[in-house]
Amino acid sequence: MKIKFLGTGAADWNIKDRRDGEFFRRLSSALINDDLLIDPGPHIFDFCERENCPTLFENVTDIIVTHSHADHFCADTVKRLFNEKARRIWCNETVAEKLCGIAECNAVLAGDGFCAGKYSVTALKANHTPVMAGENTLLYNISDGKKSIFYGLDSAWLPYETWSALLKAPVDCMILDVTLGDAEGDYRIFEHNNIPMVDIMLQTARSQKALKEGGKAVGTHFSKYEHKCHEKLSERLEQLGMLAAYDGMEIEI
């Protein structure tokens, strides 16, 4: 089971500000193996163009969406993907409404389990501010029958319901929101994590075996202004036994 990071930045990364030769993060998105896309955001085709992989999404059969924020979901991106070939999309009701007339959606709620192609997926509750009141923002536990990945963007402290689900179905890899670095006194901790928050959650996940022994932990969704140097970020997260994702990084679970 492989995961490729197509974008690792939080919403404050502006692609118009990119300069050739400078380190840059696109908005967060990921591809599992070559057939399951997570978050069809506005930058995924830019990844294909810059990385010279025009057929990257050729085998994608299923798309899952965490929530409707513009850095994770772009209706034009979905339209282009569906113009290329028929696919299935799994999302909350708010996203489904935004895609009315563009794509036929499978609306899911936190706690729902479903099959996305060859993967068994459980939608889990996120701790994140929705675009619209009542939006059901989601995290996902994804399994191919042998390995499993918890995709935890965007969310601050994991809700108890989500923690309970992880205890019942431990994972081989936890991918967590690390938006805020070591920032203190930042109001965004109520919907995103800083590094000390992630440290506590990972210690607990490991001790309680929600993250399997030897399992990988990966941080992503990094704020431009809180993470100015990838090398220093990598060193900081290494202290937590965690990898710092970057655009184009691919890991085997």
CSV table of all heavy atoms in Angstrom, one decimal, residues 205-233:
chain,number,residue,atom,x,y,z
A,205,ALA,N,-1.6,7.1,21.0
A,205,ALA,CA,-1.9,6.1,20.0
A,205,ALA,C,-0.9,5.0,20.0
A,205,ALA,O,-1.3,3.8,19.8
A,205,ALA,CB,-1.9,6.8,18.6
A,206,ARG,N,0.3,5.2,20.3
A,206,ARG,CA,1.3,4.2,20.3
A,206,ARG,C,1.2,3.3,21.6
A,206,ARG,O,1.2,2.1,21.5
A,206,ARG,CB,2.7,4.8,20.2
A,206,ARG,CG,3.1,5.3,18.9
A,206,ARG,CD,4.4,6.0,18.8
A,206,ARG,NE,4.8,6.4,17.5
A,206,ARG,CZ,5.3,7.5,17.1
A,206,ARG,NH1,5.5,8.5,18.0
A,206,ARG,NH2,5.7,7.8,15.9
A,207,SER,N,1.0,4.0,22.7
A,207,SER,CA,0.9,3.2,24.0
A,207,SER,C,-0.4,2.4,24.0
A,207,SER,O,-0.4,1.3,24.6
A,207,SER,CB,0.9,4.1,25.2
A,207,SER,OG,-0.2,5.0,25.2
A,208,GLN,N,-1.5,2.9,23.4
A,208,GLN,CA,-2.7,2.1,23.4
A,208,GLN,C,-2.9,1.3,22.2
A,208,GLN,O,-4.0,0.6,22.0
A,208,GLN,CB,-3.9,3.1,23.5
A,208,GLN,CG,-3.9,4.0,24.7
A,208,GLN,CD,-4.1,3.2,26.0
A,208,GLN,OE1,-5.0,2.3,26.0
A,208,GLN,NE2,-3.3,3.4,27.0
A,209,LYS,N,-1.9,1.2,21.3
A,209,LYS,CA,-1.9,0.4,20.1
A,209,LYS,C,-2.9,0.7,19.0
A,209,LYS,O,-3.2,-0.1,18.2
A,209,LYS,CB,-2.0,-1.1,20.5
A,209,LYS,CG,-1.1,-1.6,21.6
A,209,LYS,CD,0.3,-1.5,21.2
A,209,LYS,CE,1.2,-2.1,22.3
A,209,LYS,NZ,2.7,-1.9,22.0
A,210,ALA,N,-3.4,2.0,19.1
A,210,ALA,CA,-4.2,2.4,18.0
A,210,ALA,C,-3.4,2.6,16.7
A,210,ALA,O,-3.9,2.4,15.6
A,210,ALA,CB,-4.9,3.8,18.3
A,211,LEU,N,-2.1,3.0,16.9
A,211,LEU,CA,-1.1,2.9,15.8
A,211,LEU,C,-0.3,1.6,16.1
A,211,LEU,O,0.3,1.5,17.2
A,211,LEU,CB,-0.2,4.1,15.9
A,211,LEU,CG,0.9,4.2,14.8
A,211,LEU,CD1,0.4,4.1,13.4
A,211,LEU,CD2,1.8,5.4,15.0
A,212,LYS,N,-0.3,0.7,15.2
A,212,LYS,CA,0.3,-0.6,15.4
A,212,LYS,C,1.8,-0.4,15.7
A,212,LYS,O,2.5,0.5,15.2
A,212,LYS,CB,0.1,-1.5,14.2
A,212,LYS,CG,-1.3,-1.8,13.9
A,212,LYS,CD,-1.5,-2.7,12.7
A,212,LYS,CE,-2.9,-3.0,12.3
A,212,LYS,NZ,-3.0,-3.7,11.1
A,213,GLU,N,2.4,-1.4,16.4
A,213,GLU,CA,3.8,-1.4,16.6
A,213,GLU,C,4.6,-1.4,15.3
A,213,GLU,O,4.3,-2.1,14.4
A,213,GLU,CB,4.2,-2.7,17.4
A,213,GLU,CG,5.6,-2.6,17.9
A,213,GLU,CD,5.9,-3.8,18.8
A,213,GLU,OE1,5.0,-4.5,19.3
A,213,GLU,OE2,7.1,-4.0,19.1
A,214,GLY,N,5.5,-0.4,15.2
A,214,GLY,CA,6.3,-0.3,14.0
A,214,GLY,C,5.5,0.6,12.9
A,214,GLY,O,6.1,0.8,11.8
A,215,GLY,N,4.3,1.0,13.3
A,215,GLY,CA,3.5,1.8,12.3
A,215,GLY,C,4.2,3.2,12.1
A,215,GLY,O,4.9,3.7,12.9
A,216,LYS,N,3.9,3.8,11.0
A,216,LYS,CA,4.4,5.1,10.6
A,216,LYS,C,3.5,6.2,11.0
A,216,LYS,O,2.3,6.1,10.9
A,216,LYS,CB,4.7,5.1,9.1
A,216,LYS,CG,5.8,4.1,8.6
A,216,LYS,CD,6.0,4.2,7.1
A,216,LYS,CE,7.1,3.2,6.7
A,216,LYS,NZ,7.4,3.2,5.3
A,217,ALA,N,4.1,7.3,11.3
A,217,ALA,CA,3.4,8.6,11.6
A,217,ALA,C,3.9,9.6,10.6
A,217,ALA,O,5.1,9.8,10.5
A,217,ALA,CB,3.5,9.0,13.0
A,218,VAL,N,3.0,10.3,10.0
A,218,VAL,CA,3.4,11.3,9.0
A,218,VAL,C,2.6,12.6,9.3
A,218,VAL,O,1.4,12.6,9.5
A,218,VAL,CB,3.1,10.9,7.6
A,218,VAL,CG1,3.6,11.9,6.5
A,218,VAL,CG2,3.6,9.5,7.3
A,219,GLY,N,3.3,13.7,9.3
A,219,GLY,CA,2.7,15.1,9.4
A,219,GLY,C,2.6,15.7,8.1
A,219,GLY,O,3.5,15.6,7.2
A,220,THR,N,1.5,16.5,7.9
A,220,THR,CA,1.3,17.2,6.7
A,220,THR,C,0.4,18.4,7.0
A,220,THR,O,0.1,18.7,8.1
A,220,THR,CB,0.8,16.3,5.5
A,220,THR,OG1,0.7,17.1,4.3
A,220,THR,CG2,-0.6,15.8,5.9
A,221,HIS,N,-0.1,19.1,5.9
A,221,HIS,CA,-0.9,20.3,6.0
A,221,HIS,C,-0.2,21.4,6.9
A,221,HIS,O,-0.7,21.8,7.9
A,221,HIS,CB,-2.3,19.9,6.7
A,221,HIS,CG,-3.4,20.9,6.4
A,221,HIS,ND1,-3.6,22.0,7.3
A,221,HIS,CD2,-4.3,21.0,5.4
A,221,HIS,CE1,-4.6,22.7,6.8
A,221,HIS,NE2,-5.0,22.2,5.7
A,222,PHE,N,0.9,21.8,6.4
A,222,PHE,CA,1.8,22.7,7.1
A,222,PHE,C,1.5,24.2,6.7
A,222,PHE,O,1.5,24.5,5.5
A,222,PHE,CB,3.3,22.4,6.8
A,222,PHE,CG,3.7,21.0,7.2
A,222,PHE,CD1,4.1,20.1,6.2
A,222,PHE,CD2,3.6,20.6,8.5
A,222,PHE,CE1,4.5,18.8,6.6
A,222,PHE,CE2,4.0,19.3,8.8
A,222,PHE,CZ,4.5,18.4,7.9
A,223,SER,N,1.3,25.0,7.7
A,223,SER,CA,1.2,26.5,7.4
A,223,SER,C,2.5,27.0,6.8
A,223,SER,O,3.5,26.8,7.4
A,223,SER,CB,0.8,27.2,8.7
A,223,SER,OG,0.9,28.6,8.5
A,224,LYS,N,2.3,27.9,5.9
A,224,LYS,CA,3.5,28.6,5.3
A,224,LYS,C,4.2,29.4,6.3
A,224,LYS,O,5.5,29.5,6.3
A,224,LYS,CB,3.0,29.4,4.1
A,224,LYS,CG,4.2,30.2,3.4
A,224,LYS,CD,3.7,31.0,2.2
A,224,LYS,CE,4.8,31.7,1.5
A,224,LYS,NZ,4.3,32.5,0.3
A,225,TYR,N,3.5,30.0,7.2
A,225,TYR,CA,4.1,31.0,8.1
A,225,TYR,C,4.6,30.4,9.4
A,225,TYR,O,5.3,31.0,10.1
A,225,TYR,CB,3.1,32.1,8.3
A,225,TYR,CG,2.7,32.8,7.1
A,225,TYR,CD1,1.5,32.6,6.4
A,225,TYR,CD2,3.6,33.7,6.4
A,225,TYR,CE1,1.2,33.2,5.2
A,225,TYR,CE2,3.3,34.3,5.2
A,225,TYR,CZ,2.1,34.0,4.6
A,225,TYR,OH,1.8,34.6,3.4
A,226,GLU,N,4.2,29.2,9.7
A,226,GLU,CA,4.6,28.5,10.9
A,226,GLU,C,5.7,27.5,10.6
A,226,GLU,O,6.3,27.0,11.5
A,226,GLU,CB,3.4,27.8,11.6
A,226,GLU,CG,2.2,28.7,11.9
A,226,GLU,CD,2.6,29.8,12.9
A,226,GLU,OE1,3.6,29.7,13.6
A,226,GLU,OE2,1.9,30.8,12.9
A,227,HIS,N,5.9,27.1,9.3
A,227,HIS,CA,6.9,26.2,8.9
A,227,HIS,C,7.7,26.8,7.8
A,227,HIS,O,7.5,26.5,6.6
A,227,HIS,CB,6.2,24.9,8.5
A,227,HIS,CG,5.4,24.2,9.5
A,227,HIS,ND1,5.9,23.5,10.5
A,227,HIS,CD2,4.0,24.2,9.7
A,227,HIS,CE1,4.9,23.0,11.3
A,227,HIS,NE2,3.8,23.4,10.8
A,228,LYS,N,8.7,27.5,8.1
A,228,LYS,CA,9.5,28.3,7.1
A,228,LYS,C,10.6,27.4,6.5
A,228,LYS,O,11.1,27.8,5.4
A,228,LYS,CB,10.0,29.6,7.7
A,228,LYS,CG,8.9,30.5,8.1
A,228,LYS,CD,9.5,31.8,8.6
A,228,LYS,CE,8.4,32.8,9.1
A,228,LYS,NZ,7.4,33.1,8.1
A,229,CYS,N,11.0,26.4,7.1
A,229,CYS,CA,12.2,25.6,6.7
A,229,CYS,C,11.8,24.1,6.8
A,229,CYS,O,11.6,23.6,7.9
A,229,CYS,CB,13.4,25.9,7.5
A,229,CYS,SG,14.8,24.9,7.1
A,230,HIS,N,11.8,23.4,5.7
A,230,HIS,CA,11.4,22.0,5.7
A,230,HIS,C,12.5,21.2,6.5
A,230,HIS,O,12.1,20.2,7.2
A,230,HIS,CB,11.3,21.4,4.3
A,230,HIS,CG,10.9,20.0,4.3
A,230,HIS,ND1,9.6,19.6,4.6
A,230,HIS,CD2,11.6,18.9,4.0
A,230,HIS,CE1,9.5,18.3,4.5
A,230,HIS,NE2,10.7,17.8,4.2
A,231,GLU,N,13.7,21.5,6.3
A,231,GLU,CA,14.8,20.7,7.0
A,231,GLU,C,14.6,20.8,8.5
A,231,GLU,O,14.7,19.8,9.2
A,231,GLU,CB,16.2,21.2,6.6
A,231,GLU,CG,16.6,20.9,5.2
A,231,GLU,CD,15.8,21.7,4.1
A,231,GLU,OE1,15.3,22.8,4.4
A,231,GLU,OE2,15.8,21.2,3.0
A,232,LYS,N,14.3,22.0,9.0
A,232,LYS,CA,14.2,22.2,10.5
A,232,LYS,C,12.9,21.5,10.9
A,232,LYS,O,12.8,20.9,12.0
A,232,LYS,CB,14.1,23.7,10.8
A,232,LYS,CG,15.4,24.4,10.7
A,232,LYS,CD,15.4,25.8,11.1
A,232,LYS,CE,16.7,26.5,11.0
A,232,LYS,NZ,16.7,27.9,11.4
A,233,LEU,N,11.8,21.6,10.1
A,233,LEU,CA,10.6,20.9,10.4
A,233,LEU,C,10.8,19.4,10.5
A,233,LEU,O,10.3,18.7,11.4
A,233,LEU,CB,9.5,21.2,9.3
A,233,LEU,CG,8.2,20.4,9.4
A,233,LEU,CD1,7.5,20.6,10.7
A,233,LEU,CD2,7.4,20.7,8.2
